[in-house]
Amino acid sequence: MSSSTSSHELDSAHREKAIVDVNYDIEYVNDGNAVRSSAFTHGESVFAKLQRFAGKFGMEQRGIERVPNDERTDSSLVQVGTLWFAANMVVSSFAIGALALPVFSLGFVDAALTIIFINLLGILPVCFFSTFGPKFGLRQMVLSRFYFGYYGVKLVAFFNVLACIGWASVNVIVGAQFFHAVNQDVPGWAGILVISIATLIICTFGYRIVHVYEKWAWIPIFIIFMIVLGTFAHSGDFDSLLPLNSGPAEAGGVLSFAASVFGFATGWTSFAADYTVYQPVTRSRKTIFTWTFLGLFVSLCFTELLGAAVATAMANNQAYSDSYNDAHIGGLLAQVLVPRYGRFGEFCIVLLGLSIIGNNCPNLYSVALSLQLLSEKTSRVPRFVWTFVCTAVYLAIAIPGYDNFESTLESFMLIIGYWLAIYEGISLTEHFVFRRNSLARYAPETYCEPTRLPPGFAAVGAFCLGIAGAVLGMSQQWYTGPVGKLCGAAFGGDVGFELAFGFAAVSYLGFRAAEKAAFKR
């Protein structure tokens, strides 16, 4: 095992390598360099003492180390789907759909078509990479070493850390606004603390408890959304709103709305394998793909279509417009529930605010793994310790941001989101072109051996060109790229994701071919 893994100061006698090849029908993958659970508590180092302490309370002790074949014992397929279903059965995804009318000037029909087809496209990478967890026993960012190299992946992990902490901050602010909408005497910081502490408790215990929570958390939220659907449908306030614009204005609106939908859907790609890594090695890739697809597609389309539908009421009902202007998404939902149901409606609004916990759990759990990947020193810190640290960091951002710079923070996060298209352009090109869509062309036992992984120069170079593509194509409030200006009317249209993916994928083809010729790996 490499020096990076030995940073955990695990005794060599406890770093057991499985030497038996595992049959995947026609493909064979060695199970070497996996670390057994018993190794984490061996010795008298600070790391081992912390792990023994965590073990007393049932916390997950494993971080970025590979899971041995015989310890991949999560037999529940349902949990693969319910994790993603619960993570997206939340007000954050409802809010994405509700942006269609007030921000992008889209009617329900064009918004609905965009939601369905763009979500279908955005979730495919998440479903695909989820299938690698059971086969290799590697976390998503560790798997990325086979695309970006041992050192190049640190760049990707850094962007993932920014994305996780940033979106966690934005999400808890949104959740706190729901509490404040019900009772204006509740300060923003109090709501932020409630959501953050609940998320911290769940994620500290790790993989198993995250899955257990998400398995059930979606049920009350789904019931409330069904109440919203039924109440709004009978209110007569829905307006199908055929496309409100035509020509360049309509094209620009659809492209920019599609960028928001795609960014939210594909945002889970950098976590994908983290939540299937304990599934049995014999688990069918098609089964994992299907459950992940259903969990993502159904929840995203349902909540975003509902958001787009409720937002149409703002076209002809001033009460909805006023509620949205006063309290954003919380006000919009309150306008549906509170006048009709009173105190019960307020209770539903509070529960919807708490749905943010389900959305933030994957952020907080996976950010700790990315931090471990950054350096040898950060890998010495147990996963659950990083969970505490990251909670403190995003609290320090969210509490002052509640009143001062929420919109600025959200704009920054939208910019950060372009990195996912670059990541996908590079990793998918590596897999389908250079590894010819074959697991047999991976050697997962080399995940911790820098000299046996790609050097990473090609990936980093392509990443930089992908950024250039994003800058050319983006269309944000404060900046529109030269290509973005050509894709719409006055405000252009956002094609940053498309250009970022294209620039990264095409440039990687050339860079990687040259890199392989020079380094033979």
Side-chain angles (χ1 to χ4, degrees), residues 14-285:
H14 290 260
R15 293 188 212 131
E16 302 178 28
K17 289 187 180 181
I19 59 174
V20 178
D21 287 341
V22 181
N23 190 331
Y24 303 107
D25 296 328
I26 61 172
E27 295 175 298
Y28 297 86
V29 180
N30 187 279
D31 198 32
N33 268 337
V35 180
R36 297 198 177 280
S37 298
S38 59
F40 297 110
T41 58
H42 180 76
E44 295 301 320
S45 65
V46 174
F47 177 84
K49 291 177 180 178
L50 285 171
Q51 294 286 22
R52 284 197 291 272
F53 173 81
K56 292 179 181 178
F57 297 95
M59 299 179 192
E60 182 188 9
Q61 297 163 314
R62 187 178 302 279
I64 59 173
E65 303 82 11
R66 191 181 185 198
V67 184
N69 174 31
D70 59 356
E71 292 187 18
R72 298 176 211 168
T73 56
D74 179 7
S75 59
S76 174
L77 266 175
V78 174
Q79 288 186 165
V80 176
T82 54
L83 179 126
W84 298 118
F85 193 85
N88 294 284
M89 186 60 62
V90 294
V91 292
S92 299
S93 50
F94 176 93
I96 293 293
L99 295 176
L101 175 63
V103 176
F104 302 105
S105 300
L106 299 180
F108 180 75
V109 175
D110 40 352
L113 291 172
T114 303
I115 287 168
I116 293 170
F117 288 106
I118 298 301
N119 272 315
L120 180 62
L121 180 65
I123 66 174
L124 288 179
V126 190
C127 302
F128 175 72
F129 285 115
S130 291
T131 67
F132 283 74
K135 298 306 180 187
F136 292 167
L138 296 174
R139 310 288 190 167
Q140 186 64 39
M141 285 293 100
V142 180
L143 172 67
S144 302
R145 287 175 173 171
F146 293 97
Y147 314 129
F148 289 82
Y150 186 87
Y151 300 103
V153 79
K154 298 178 191 298
L155 173 66
V156 177
F158 175 74
F159 273 92
N160 201 37
V161 169
L162 288 181
C164 290
I165 292 179
W167 279 120
S169 304
V170 171
N171 288 339
V172 292
I173 291 173
V174 171
Q177 289 172 343
F178 274 67
F179 300 162
H180 188 71
V182 171
N183 185 347
Q184 296 189 357
D185 292 331
V186 177
W189 61 263
I192 289 172
L193 277 177
V194 168
I195 296 172
S196 300
I197 292 173
T199 308
L200 171 64
I201 293 171
I202 295 167
C203 293
T204 296
F205 285 90
Y207 178 97
R208 186 176 66 85
I209 301 302
V210 169
H211 271 288
V212 169
Y213 176 80
E214 302 283 28
K215 185 175 182 178
W216 304 106
W218 64 271
I219 297 175
I221 306 304
F222 178 70
I223 291 171
I224 293 172
F225 276 137
M226 290 300 293
I227 293 173
V228 171
L229 174 61
T231 304
F232 184 72
H234 285 87
S235 70
D237 291 320
F238 173 71
D239 190 331
S240 62
L241 287 177
L242 294 175
L244 304 180
N245 295 307
S246 60
E250 172 70 4
V254 168
L255 286 170
S256 295
F257 181 55
S260 297
V261 173
F262 180 83
F264 192 87
T266 209
W268 305 112
T269 303
S270 57
F271 311 159
D274 295 354
Y275 301 98
T276 57
V277 75
Y278 288 101
Q279 286 282 320
V281 70
T282 54
R283 184 72 77 199
S284 164
R285 296 184 73 195

Side-chain angles (χ1 to χ4, degrees), residues 10 55 68 160 184 223 229 269 273 280 286 337 417 447 465 494-496 514:
L10 304 173
N160 201 37
Q184 296 189 357
I223 291 171
L229 174 61
T269 303
K286 290 181 180 179
L337 294 172
Y447 77 98
L465 287 179
D494 197 320
V495 290

